[in-house]
Amino acid sequence: MKVLIYSAKAFEIPYLEKANRKKHNLTFVENALSSETAMQAVGYDAISIFSADEACFLTLEKLKDFGVKYICLRSVGYDNVNLRAASRLNIRVANVPAYSPYAIAEHAVSLLLTLNRKLIDSNERVKRYNFNLDGLVGIDLNEKTVGIIGTGKIGSVMAKIMNGFGCKLLGYDISEDKELISNYNLRYTTLQELCELSDIISIHVPLNSDTHHMIDEDLIFLMKKDVMIINTARGAVINTEDMIDALKKKQIGALGMDVFENEKGIFFKDQSQDIPDDPLLIQLNAFPNVLISGHHAFLTKEALTNIAETTLYNLDQWSKNKESDNELTDITT
Ligand code: NAI
């Protein structure tokens, strides 16, 4: 198959080429998919996209006209694809449902530890030979309560890691994981109670109409004043304006985020010479107790290998006129 890989990054191309084993004709472009860049897909059977690409109805209609039959996401999340429109247009869509929940959960823990122990500030001081310790006090995580919102693949790894730290676990999810209850003593509760009781809150739900702005001023109001919130899921699960208000009012202790509500068009490229004019990002960057990474929780060798292999598996299945286990669209051919 002729496949156009949108949003191709130098770090992932070798993994995709290796997994391809020269079976498909892959073309890599740096551009993200949008209604403007859909044109590039003329003559391709399939495209592959990542989280910053936008497959809205208009873009999908264009892709259909250009002959694209398949879309494989190189991501777990698929909030950027209008699946209903894709099904109607007979464009088959598949994702990589699990490539390494460890990569994301371990990154969430990295954000938490870095914030708690103020490692960035500490390292900046040491680089200037300032060994003063004032302002670097953290807390023991042992015995603290960690609230996990979304106890699926990533959230359950997060629960197990935090159990290893000696933390008490609370969970909120629309479906309960019995193993977390019996083996890790996690207690499921309401979102409100989780927010009230947790010292640390880690978010691992997908972005959908139910989870959009799930964390808003009403929930933040219930939280402990020194709560640490970690979001490696999707930016818009948090109402960013409410969060900034809470940070200004010192209603929360710290915020670690790998994802940002307005990250599309900003993340994944060097913007240091043309600083993005996003007032929310500029404000967040100004808080000493906010730590932002640029959506790179997935960036481990193991995850990149699995993403590439599953993406190529999806393409292989389609090229053999078979279904992929990872299909998100419901198309009867
Ligand atoms: P998963 O599907 O295994 O788990 C999601 C959990 O959220 C499920 O247990 C589900 O029941 C629960 N859930 C869904 N809607 C809910 C609602 N309205 N209220 C409460 N619980 C709800 O997904 P996984 O693999 O754990 O990934 C979670 C999210 O992490 C992905 O959707 C994606 O957006 C994000 N992600 C971020 C990455 C990054 O690099 N920062 C990389 C991979 C995923």
Side-chain angles (χ1 to χ4, degrees), residues 35-298:
S35 59
E36 286 83 46
T37 61
M39 261 299 274
Q40 291 181 270
V42 172
Y44 286 89
D45 308 295
I47 63 163
S48 173
I49 60 174
F50 194 59
S51 61
D53 301 75
E54 191 68 64
C56 62
F57 182 66
L58 177 65
T59 305
L60 289 166
E61 266 192 324
K62 287 189 180 179
L63 291 171
K64 176 75 184 172
D65 289 345
F66 299 150
V68 172
K69 296 182 254 339
Y70 310 104
I71 298 179
C72 43
L73 286 136
R74 307 193 296 290
S75 59
V76 176
Y78 47 83
D79 47 275
N80 51 337
V81 182
N82 184 337
L83 289 179
R84 199 176 301 163
S87 298
R88 272 222 305 273
L89 293 164
N90 258 315
I91 296 178
R92 291 163 74 163
V93 182
N95 70 338
V96 180
Y99 45 78
S100 171
Y102 309 101
I104 323 303
E106 288 171 14
H107 191 83
V109 177
S110 310
L111 290 172
L112 170 61
L113 296 179
T114 307
L115 276 167
N116 178 35
R117 304 311 295 267
K118 302 172 175 61
L119 294 180
I120 307 259
D121 188 4
S122 166
N123 183 245
E124 278 169 3
R125 291 183 197 194
V126 170
K127 279 189 194 283
R128 294 193 308 272
Y129 301 94
N130 171 1
F131 299 100
N132 184 303
L133 302 182
D134 291 341
L136 298 183
V137 180
I139 56 164
D140 281 10
L141 295 181
N142 183 46
E143 289 287 315
K144 295 297 180 298
T145 300
V146 180
I148 298 180
I149 302 178
T151 58
K153 289 181 282 297
I154 298 169
S156 64
V157 174
M158 184 70 184
K160 291 168 194 173
I161 297 173
M162 297 321 293
N163 173 261
F165 275 88
C167 297
K168 296 173 199 153
L169 301 176
L170 292 176
Y172 171 72
D173 199 300
I174 46 176
S175 78
E176 298 190 353
D177 180 335
K178 302 276 177 291
E179 194 210 341
L180 293 179
I181 300 173
S182 54
N183 295 357
Y184 299 92
N185 220 6
L186 178 142
R187 181 168 72 81
Y188 281 97
T189 181
T190 60
L191 189 53
Q192 285 71 17
E193 200 195 11
L194 181 147
C195 289
E196 273 169 21
L197 299 182
S198 297
D199 301 295
I200 294 138
I201 295 174
S202 196
I203 302 170
H204 302 286
V205 280
L207 177 63
N208 55 39
S209 50
D210 293 331
T211 61
H212 182 263
H213 285 184
M214 180 185 235
I215 304 295
D216 60 6
E217 63 177 338
D218 294 341
L219 281 180
I220 296 169
F221 182 74
L222 300 176
M223 294 177 190
K224 295 185 180 183
K225 296 283 171 275
D226 49 2
V227 66
M228 288 187 267
I229 303 171
I230 306 296
N231 184 13
T232 55
R234 285 291 181 266
V237 175
I238 292 180
N239 181 325
T240 312
E241 287 188 9
D242 288 0
M243 186 58 74
I244 290 172
D245 276 351
L247 282 158
K248 283 183 185 160
K249 293 180 193 150
K250 301 200 186 324
Q251 276 179 313
I252 65 159
L255 171 68
M257 42 192 274
D258 185 52
V259 285
F260 167 55
E261 189 162 3
N262 300 342
E263 69 178 60
K264 280 200 179 83
I266 297 180
F267 280 18
F268 301 121
K269 47 195 175 210
D270 182 355
Q271 307 242 36
S272 56
Q273 302 310 310
D274 184 18
I275 294 173
D277 185 20
D278 186 286
L280 298 183
L281 184 59
I282 292 167
Q283 286 184 80
L284 285 166
N285 253 336
F287 290 104
N289 52 343
V290 173
L291 178 59
I292 309 173
S293 57
H295 203 143
H296 83 259
F298 69 99

